[in-house]
Amino acid sequence: DMKQMFYNAYIAPIFDYCCLIWGHANKSDINRICKLQKRAARIILHKPIRTSSIELFNTLEWLPFSKRCEYFAGMIVYKTLNRK
C-alpha cells in the first residue's frame, strides 16, 4: 500500500504534468516513459519482468501512459468547449 501511495503522490503527477506535451513526443521517448510506468507497477505488485502489463495495470486500476495522455487531452477539450 505504501508503494502505491508513493507512486500516486510523487510519480503519477510527474507523468500527468506535461502529459499533453509528452504524449506527442517521438516514439522512443514515449516508450521510455511506458517502461518506467511498467517497472513501477512490477515493483508495487512484486511481479516478475515477464508479467503482462495489461494484467498489472488492471490490478492497480491504472491507465497506460498513452491512454492517460488521451484522457487528459479529452478533459482539456471538454473544459474548453464547456467553459469550465
Side-chain angles (χ1 to χ4, degrees):
D1 290 338
M2 293 300 291
K3 290 178 186 177
Q4 190 167 1
M5 283 179 29
F6 179 81
Y7 175 86
N8 290 332
Y10 293 102
I11 298 172
I14 293 170
F15 287 158
D16 297 344
Y17 180 69
C18 290
C19 197
L20 293 174
I21 295 168
W22 288 2
H24 299 288
N26 63 29
K27 200 70 167 168
S28 65
D29 290 337
I30 292 173
N31 286 337
R32 290 173 63 194
I33 295 169
C34 290
K35 286 179 184 179
L36 286 173
Q37 186 184 31
K38 290 175 189 178
R39 185 173 184 195
R42 285 188 190 98
I43 290 170
I44 290 169
L45 295 174
H46 303 287
K47 296 289 184 175
I49 292 173
R50 296 283 182 195
T51 306
S52 167
S53 59
I54 295 169
E55 177 187 331
L56 296 170
F57 294 153
N58 286 341
T59 303
L60 293 169
E61 298 179 355
W62 291 357
L63 289 173
F65 180 73
S66 59
K67 295 294 182 188
R68 287 179 81 93
C69 292
E70 290 176 17
Y71 170 78
F72 282 106
M75 195 166 61
I76 296 235
V77 169
Y78 175 81
K79 287 181 178 182
T80 302
L81 292 176
N82 293 299
R83 303 185 197 290
K84 296 201 179 212

